[in-house]
Amino acid sequence: MPMMCISNMMRGLALSAAMIAGIGSAMGVAPGEVRFRHEETDTTIITKLLVDTYAEGRSVPTAKRIVSIAEKLVGTPYAAGTIEGTPEQLTVDMDEMDCTTFVENVLAMAMTLDERRTSWHDFIYNLERLRYRNGRVDGYGSRLHYISDWAIDNNHRGIIQEVTDRLGQGVGYQVKTLDFISSNRDKYPALEDDSEFEKLKNAEIGYRSHRYPYIKTMNIKNAELRDGDIVAITTKTPGLDVQHMGVVKLHDGVAHLVHASSKAGKVVVDDLPLAEYVRRNRTATGIRVFRLKD
């Protein structure tokens, strides 16, 4: 399994004729409205990942594609806050990722391949659909900051489905008021703008005493997880529903997590089984599980 950072492998590499052929007309936000870390290398990396994964076969199931894309990103450095900036724009950074942007990148690529497209333009369109309320950038408050909000909005638009309560015994429910971001306004520079703060507060209103399912830590090893499942680790932290995310990869039938790890400092396939990984985390309560709709 390659551990070299893809961005270093691809830096300065020109697009091949096959890649260029895969680029179609732009969809969603125009390229000029996107904030890239390094536009040339970001777009090259995205296109190569799409072309290489598509070449593995048109009939490959979506779940297998998700795992394949996730593994290709192994070794990419971890960094938090890579999409922050004002004004709010769709931001793309393939050099560094946190757990959420890693999952978003993987899913947006899988969605693009499901459409039988291999263009970074189409990836951008799908990334915006995943990351923002109603699939459109409209300020900081339109970003789906909480996973509960992300899940409900994307489920409503037919992109993902939550399967937490379908995976066997041991499912419980948590009830929490999600207000961590507004309660920590000073940690989020975009919230210095009073209008953006009010937009965020309005979004949080829908998540007062919010009830959501989770598989308790002690029951994770018996959950019927699949390759390519998206796992969100639920938390004890007040005001917050989820503290970490990743992609499931089965090894000899045992679920492991492919994730952007702050501890490892990069994207890894975790050596620990998922059940043990969550058990060792003192602030975790269990997991929620999502699948990309075919």
Side-chain angles (χ1 to χ4, degrees):
M1 186 174 298
M3 296 299 288
M4 186 183 299
C5 174
I6 287 179
S7 59
N8 291 333
M9 292 168 56
M10 294 301 301
R11 190 175 301 280
L13 184 64
L15 288 174
S16 69
M19 291 177 189
I20 294 172
I23 295 178
S25 59
M27 303 174 70
V29 296
E33 298 173 349
V34 180
R35 182 188 294 117
F36 290 96
R37 181 183 179 95
H38 301 293
E39 182 172 354
E40 182 177 354
T41 53
D42 284 336
T43 55
T44 299
I45 291 165
I46 292 163
T47 306
K48 177 169 173 55
L49 284 165
L50 290 169
V51 170
D52 288 354
T53 308
Y54 189 75
E56 294 168 4
R58 292 172 60 176
S59 62
V60 173
T62 299
K64 295 294 184 184
R65 277 182 172 160
I66 288 172
V67 174
S68 179
I69 296 163
E71 289 185 306
K72 288 180 176 68
L73 291 170
V74 165
T76 303
Y78 173 92
T82 58
I83 64 172
E84 300 305 321
T86 54
E88 181 74 15
Q89 288 180 280
L90 181 66
T91 300
V92 178
D93 185 347
M94 300 302 297
D95 277 355
E96 298 176 318
M97 301 175 193
D98 62 22
C99 68
T100 303
T101 55
F102 165 71
V103 168
E104 288 177 336
N105 288 335
V106 170
L107 289 180
M109 288 184 194
M111 291 163 63
T112 302
L113 291 170
D114 280 351
E115 297 165 350
R116 297 188 177 181
R117 297 177 182 272
T118 56
S119 163
W120 63 264
H121 297 77
D122 297 297
F123 164 82
I124 285 171
Y125 167 74
N126 285 316
L127 185 63
E128 184 184 22
R129 289 174 66 202
L130 275 168
R131 186 177 289 169
Y132 291 93
R133 184 166 291 101
N134 299 318
R136 298 297 298 176
V137 178
D138 185 21
Y140 186 79
S142 70
R143 199 194 308 169
L144 298 165
H145 298 278
Y146 296 99
I147 296 306
S148 291
D149 197 13
W150 176 85
I152 289 172
D153 189 84
N154 278 288
N155 179 73
H156 177 72
R157 290 183 285 116
I159 297 173
I160 64 167
Q161 60 182 336
E162 180 159 12
V163 296
T164 305
D165 59 358
R166 308 178 194 175
L167 301 181
Q169 303 298 315
V171 176
Y173 290 86
Q174 287 187 297
V175 177
K176 297 183 83 170
T177 292
L178 306 183
D179 60 0
F180 181 87
I181 299 175
S182 62
S183 297
N184 293 274
R185 182 178 182 178
D186 60 320
K187 296 180 180 179
Y188 301 92
L191 296 183
E192 292 178 6
D193 184 314
D194 289 338
S195 64
E196 290 291 358
F197 181 69
E198 288 305 315
K199 288 179 184 177
L200 180 74
K201 288 281 288 181
N202 287 335
E204 290 178 338
I205 287 172
Y207 294 93
R208 291 175 179 169
S209 298
H210 177 60
R211 183 175 184 264
Y212 55 88
Y214 74 114
I215 299 171
K216 298 178 181 179
T217 300
M218 68 182 72
N219 298 309
I220 293 173
K221 65 180 179 181
N222 296 319
E224 299 167 3
L225 296 167
R226 300 179 185 174
D227 274 327
D229 281 349
I230 303 304
V231 165
I233 298 175
T234 53
T235 182
K236 298 176 183 177
T237 303
L240 197 61
D241 50 351
V242 163
Q243 65 184 37
H244 194 56
M245 298 184 78
V247 174
V248 169
K249 174 180 170 58
L250 298 182
H251 180 67
D252 294 332
V254 178
H256 290 253
L257 198 65
V258 189
H259 62 131
S261 166
S262 59
K263 181 178 180 181
K266 59 187 175 183
V267 176
V268 298
V269 181
D270 213 281
D271 292 334
L272 290 174
L274 174 63
E276 181 62 14
Y277 176 86
V278 178
R279 189 191 70 80
R280 294 189 184 191
N281 191 318
R282 294 180 180 179
T283 60
T285 59
I287 62 171
R288 298 174 69 176
V289 185
F290 307 94
R291 289 176 183 159
L292 192 65
K293 290 185 178 180
D294 294 330

